[in-house]
């Protein structure tokens, strides 16, 4: 066992796009679990778009010069509670560090399904998949045959939304992304019918070509110009599911999107945002839906895996730049060949 632990701290607030200089790796002695807790060696880490929002000076955001939080999977290596056995694999939220001391109430035991890798619990079976599932089934209430548009379609939520929508019987699937290569991957591998590169022109024109008959549901990970375009393309009783606003995370002074507010009334459009943390009671329902499809091969994992905790900041910044396809996950070197 290593005798030291590494933790990532945020050391400064970013001005626009974050850089590696906003973070520091802090070395410390391996923590000792107190009575009633256990020491977990982390094996897999999730870096997510919401971490960028928490870097700013906002309520509930990251404190400076303190360990960051994030979704993580690890192994119990020392325990001082009968409720956590050494060797157990657990999920917890004390990420961005190699080791964490947790109590039984801070972890979730992961059901192990034959043929399902641990990374799935941070992608389609984790918060990413739950976001997509809630957005489609509870917020949009997707109906069979409906046309769906997803912005940021090549990200973790975007790929999960596309795959889940296909399994739920959606009609035409349209997406946006940041490169022709990603657009090709989404149509060849993920199941999208049409995908446009948002750099190639006005979003309203590109969406109009991809969905000439309009759309019924818009799952929005981006905001900005694409949100305005979707309002114009939505048919009567259309729904907008607001997941994120990644187009503005690094440009906080950018103007809000301008769209036809009258269209929201005239077409009876409903727009609703949500926090996946308010839907954790649906975790088992997600397993029931997704696991059989994972086992049958109808549902594939869209993951970009980065090896080595020392690369977690690079992975996070790469995710913000759009370097990944699907969910980005950082993996400990010991897990690389399992």
């Amino acid at each position: 066992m290593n005798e030291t632990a590494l933790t990532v701290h945020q050391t400064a607030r970013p001005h626009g796009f974050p850089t590696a200089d906003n973070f520091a790796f802090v070395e410390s002695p391996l923590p000792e679990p107190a009575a009633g807790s256990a020491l977990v060696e982390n094996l897999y880490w999730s870096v997510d778009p919401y971490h960028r929002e928490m870097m700013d000076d906002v309520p509930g955001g990251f404190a400076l010069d303190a360990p960051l939080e994030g979704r993580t999977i690890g192994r119990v290596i020392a325990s001082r509670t009968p409720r956590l056995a050494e060797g157990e694999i657990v999920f917890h939220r004390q990420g961005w560090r190699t080791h964490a001391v947790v109590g039984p109430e801070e972890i979730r035991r992961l059901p192990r399904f034959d043929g399902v890798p641990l990374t799935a619990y941070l992608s389609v079976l984790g918060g990413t998949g739950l976001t997509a599932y809630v957005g489609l089934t509870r917020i949009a209430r997707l109906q069979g045959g409906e046309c769906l548009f997803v912005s940021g379609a090549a990200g973790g939520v975007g790929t999960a939304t596309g795959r889940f929508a296909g399994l739920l019987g959606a009609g035409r699937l349209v997406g946006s992304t940041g490169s022709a290569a990603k657009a090709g991957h989404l149509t060849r591998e993920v199941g999208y019918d049409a995908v446009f590169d948002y750099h190639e022109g006005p979003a309203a024109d590109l969406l109009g070509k991809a969905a000439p008959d309009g759309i019924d549901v818009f799952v929005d990970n981006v905001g900005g110009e694409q949100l305005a375009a979707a309002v114009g393309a939505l048919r009567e009783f259309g729904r907008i599911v607001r997941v994120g606003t990644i187009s503005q995370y690094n440009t906080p002074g950018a103007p809000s999107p301008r769209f036809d507010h009258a269209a929201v009334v005239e077409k009876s459009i409903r727009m609703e945002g949500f926090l996946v943390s308010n839907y954790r009671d649906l975790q088992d329902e997600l397993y029931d839906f997704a696991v059989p499809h994972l086992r049958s091969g109808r549902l594939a994992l869209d993951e970009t895996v980065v090896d080595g905790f020392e690369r977690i900041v690079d992975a996070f910044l790469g995710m913000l730049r759009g370097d990944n396809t699907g969910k980005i996950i950082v993996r400990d070197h010991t897990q690389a060949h399992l």
Side-chain angles (χ1 to χ4, degrees):
M1 190 191 321
N2 292 330
E3 296 301 320
T4 59
L6 278 178
T7 304
V8 177
H9 292 194
Q10 182 183 335
T11 57
R13 303 291 180 199
H15 300 286
F17 201 95
T19 70
D21 291 337
N22 297 131
F23 302 91
F25 286 85
V26 178
E27 188 173 299
S28 63
L30 204 65
E32 289 282 347
S37 66
L39 177 63
V40 174
E41 181 180 37
N42 293 328
L43 304 174
Y44 298 92
W45 298 265
S46 175
V47 292
D48 297 284
Y50 81 88
H51 288 140
R52 173 61 189 89
E53 294 180 274
M54 295 182 71
M55 292 185 71
D56 292 328
D57 187 11
V58 296
F62 291 145
L64 294 182
D65 302 308
L68 306 185
E69 69 93 46
R71 303 180 181 111
T72 309
I73 295 171
R75 179 188 296 111
V76 176
I77 58 173
S79 179
R80 295 192 63 193
T81 170
R83 296 169 61 190
L84 287 172
E86 292 183 10
E88 274 195 277
I89 300 295
V90 297
F91 170 94
H92 64 90
R93 299 192 66 90
Q94 294 190 43
W96 294 72
R97 66 195 84 185
T98 57
H99 298 78
V101 173
V102 298
E105 69 284 353
E106 297 176 291
I107 66 96
R108 187 173 83 237
R109 289 180 171 84
L110 300 175
R112 299 306 302 272
F113 302 105
D114 291 342
V116 176
L118 281 174
T119 55
Y121 296 95
L122 294 178
S123 59
V124 295
L125 299 183
T128 297
L130 189 59
T131 298
Y133 185 76
V134 169
L136 292 172
T137 65
R138 296 310 197 271
I139 311 301
R141 299 169 195 164
L142 182 70
Q143 303 297 307
E146 288 188 317
C147 179
L148 182 77
F149 169 45
V150 183
S151 62
V157 172
T159 50
T161 298
R163 291 193 186 274
F164 287 179
L167 293 169
L168 290 167
R172 186 169 177 79
L173 290 176
V174 176
S176 69
T177 189
S179 72
K182 287 185 178 182
H185 172 81
L186 289 167
T187 53
R188 289 191 308 270
E189 305 294 336
V190 180
Y192 279 87
D193 296 293
V195 180
F196 61 84
D197 177 350
Y198 63 83
H199 295 108
E200 291 186 346
D205 294 345
L206 297 170
L207 179 57
K209 293 176 183 176
D213 297 324
I215 60 175
D216 299 295
V217 174
F218 174 42
V219 178
D220 186 20
N221 298 292
V222 173
E225 182 190 9
Q226 295 185 56
L227 172 57
V231 171
L234 279 162
R235 297 192 275 242
E236 191 176 23
F237 303 114
R239 287 89 75 203
I240 299 172
V241 182
R242 291 284 290 117
V243 176
T245 315
I246 197 168
S247 68
Q248 293 179 258
Y249 288 165
N250 299 306
T251 53
S256 298
R258 299 181 63 183
F259 56 84
D260 184 358
H261 290 77
V264 176
V265 177
E266 293 164 359
K267 294 192 285 186
S268 298
I269 293 170
R270 177 168 57 84
M271 181 189 301
E272 184 175 348
F274 70 100
L275 295 175
V276 73
S277 58
N278 293 327
Y279 291 87
R280 289 176 181 158
D281 59 317
L282 297 182
Q283 186 67 59
D284 287 340
E285 184 178 321
L286 173 63
Y287 291 155
D288 291 342
F289 168 74
V291 169
H293 294 306
L294 283 170
R295 285 172 156 171
S296 71
R298 292 190 68 201
L299 176 61
L301 298 177
D302 298 285
E303 298 174 347
T304 296
V305 178
V306 175
D307 282 321
F309 177 76
E310 71 277 5
R311 297 179 63 196
I312 192 169
V313 171
D314 294 336
F316 171 63
L317 298 178
M319 179 268 302
L320 292 179
R321 289 192 298 267
D323 293 347
N324 58 299
T325 299
K327 180 73 185 76
I328 190 161
I329 296 169
V330 179
R331 176 175 60 185
D332 185 75
H333 290 296
T334 62
Q335 306 301 301
H337 302 294
L338 296 183

